[in-house]
Amino acid sequence: MHALITKRHFLQAAASAATVLATPRAFAIGNPSYPSRSVKWVVPYAPGGATDVLSRLLCQRLSDRLGQTFVVENKPGAGSNIGTQAVITSAPDGHTLLLTSTANAINASFDPALPYDFAKGIAPVAGVARIPLVLVVNNDLPVNSVADFIAYAKTNPGKMSIASSGIGTSLHLSGELFKSLAGVQFIHVPYRGSAPGLTDVMSGQIQGMFDNVTSSFELVRAGKLRALGVTTRERSEILPDAPPIADTLSGYETSSFYGVGAPHDTPREIIDLLNREIDAALSDAEIKSRIAGLGAIPLHGNASEFGGMLTAETDRWRKVVELSGIRKQ
């Protein structure tokens, strides 16, 4: 009887252990109390667009996996600086996270009065996605390729206007890099966001725009804009007919990216846990499909690899800022 009881107890204990290992909280080995309450996922932009779609997809996944609610909190303003600073000054306990972006890499050199050091204030957690930009033009502009666009700009100096979503954005600086490498001039017209700029390109008030494929590919597909080329070295899956601009303009390459960061000194085990969960989410079939539908490319890798990418992107945009000679006033 004693042997039977021992065996039964052993089997019950083994079953209980298997159940524990199967629960999401078991992944938090090294810090089993995390997360102990809801987690704020700070998006330093206004609601809407790719930033919200990506954030809500991942927050739902993390909420399901880690047993606490991950809440998107929009903190727009000052070119992402307000939201970024709010996270930098938060407690380094993993309960406040930042959706990092290209703006953080640009602002490091574009804004001389930046009230924080992003590289020292934010610990890299995980990459999320990279989004190509596309050069789109008004349908009445007599150009059908990047080469045509460059030739037209050279024969019509001072008559070309290019829109952007604001001074110092990746859209603006992608145009500045293009101007420098192609040896052309056009007038930069900044807007408060991408949508009004695209509207004026479609109406013919502005000739063209460098824009994220996320917000322009449907207009191209509907025939309301003409896509001349993408800013990445690879073609975009949702705009396969638009060749890389680098095919015509050697050395040209830009893109937008998003990732996740936490306040500096956040415990490594929390960062590693979040990295594993986010990286796994990016491999989920449904999430992959939603990201692809935005024209985005998932960014896989560990926290150190994402940190290396942030450093490389900061260096890349510093060179573009220096080349353009533009600084925030």
Side-chain angles (χ1 to χ4, degrees):
M1 178 64 71
H2 179 71
L4 289 174
I5 292 174
T6 302
K7 183 177 181 181
R8 184 166 62 250
H9 286 177
F10 173 79
L11 292 174
Q12 289 173 342
S16 297
T19 300
V20 171
L21 288 173
T23 62
R25 294 300 298 273
F27 284 89
I29 295 171
N31 199 314
S33 64
Y34 176 81
S36 61
R37 60 183 187 277
S38 64
V39 177
K40 290 194 298 185
W41 179 290
V42 176
V43 176
Y45 302 102
T51 55
D52 266 17
V53 173
L54 292 170
S55 295
R56 294 183 192 283
L57 281 172
L58 293 175
C59 281
Q60 183 59 59
R61 166 82 177 211
L62 291 170
S63 298
D64 294 342
R65 292 283 296 169
L66 298 180
Q68 292 286 351
T69 304
F70 281 66
V71 182
V72 174
E73 183 174 304
N74 296 92
K75 282 185 175 292
S80 83
N81 289 337
I82 291 176
T84 299
Q85 189 168 15
V87 175
I88 286 176
T89 56
S90 297
D93 57 9
H95 290 89
T96 305
L97 304 174
L98 175 70
L99 181 74
T100 63
S101 71
T102 318
N104 297 124
I106 291 173
N107 288 339
S109 54
F110 174 72
D111 188 352
L114 203 65
Y116 56 80
D117 185 329
F118 179 77
K120 294 180 179 179
I122 289 290
V125 173
V128 173
R130 185 180 295 280
I131 299 178
L133 278 63
V134 57
L135 172 58
V136 292
V137 297
N138 175 268
N139 284 327
D140 292 332
L141 198 69
V143 300
N144 292 293
S145 67
V146 173
D148 288 347
F149 183 86
I150 293 172
Y152 186 84
K154 287 183 175 180
T155 56
N156 293 273
K159 297 181 182 179
M160 294 276 285
S161 295
I162 296 293
S164 84
S165 57
I167 297 174
T169 61
S170 60
L171 280 59
H172 170 210
L173 292 174
S174 291
E176 293 298 319
L177 179 62
F178 186 95
K179 284 168 57 176
S180 177
L181 294 180
V184 298
Q185 292 296 320
F186 42 70
I187 300 166
H188 170 233
V189 183
Y191 287 79
R192 292 175 66 90
S194 177
L198 290 171
T199 297
D200 280 357
V201 175
M202 286 186 287
S203 71
Q205 296 183 56
I206 302 291
Q207 282 69 53
M209 182 174 181
F210 286 86
D211 186 44
N212 290 320
V213 297
T214 299
S215 52
S216 55
F217 79 92
E218 290 184 350
L219 297 174
V220 173
R221 287 180 175 179
K224 296 179 179 180
L225 290 171
R226 182 182 302 132
L228 300 185
V230 292
T231 62
T232 48
R233 293 189 180 276
E234 301 80 24
R235 291 182 183 243
S236 166
E237 290 187 6
I238 61 173
L239 288 176
D241 294 333
I245 291 173
D247 287 357
T248 301
L249 200 58
S250 179
Y252 186 88
E253 182 181 11
T254 68
S255 65
S256 294
F257 72 86
Y258 298 103
V260 183
H264 185 66
D265 289 334
T266 297
R268 188 71 201 186
E269 60 266 27
I270 292 177
I271 288 176
D272 289 342
L273 167 65
L274 289 168
N275 176 274
R276 289 194 301 271
E277 291 295 337
I278 291 170
D279 199 59
L282 295 176
S283 296
D284 177 82
E286 182 180 352
I287 293 177
K288 281 175 65 177
S289 177
R290 294 288 299 278
I291 290 175
L294 294 171
I297 305 161
L299 287 174
H300 292 281
N302 60 38
S304 295
E305 289 169 332
F306 178 54
M309 195 205 85
L310 281 176
T311 299
E313 287 290 333
T314 300
D315 290 342
R316 178 201 301 274
W317 287 106
R318 179 180 290 109
K319 293 174 183 177
V320 177
V321 169
E322 292 172 351
L323 195 65
S324 70
I326 298 170
R327 292 287 192 283
K328 184 174 182 179
Q329 300 300 317

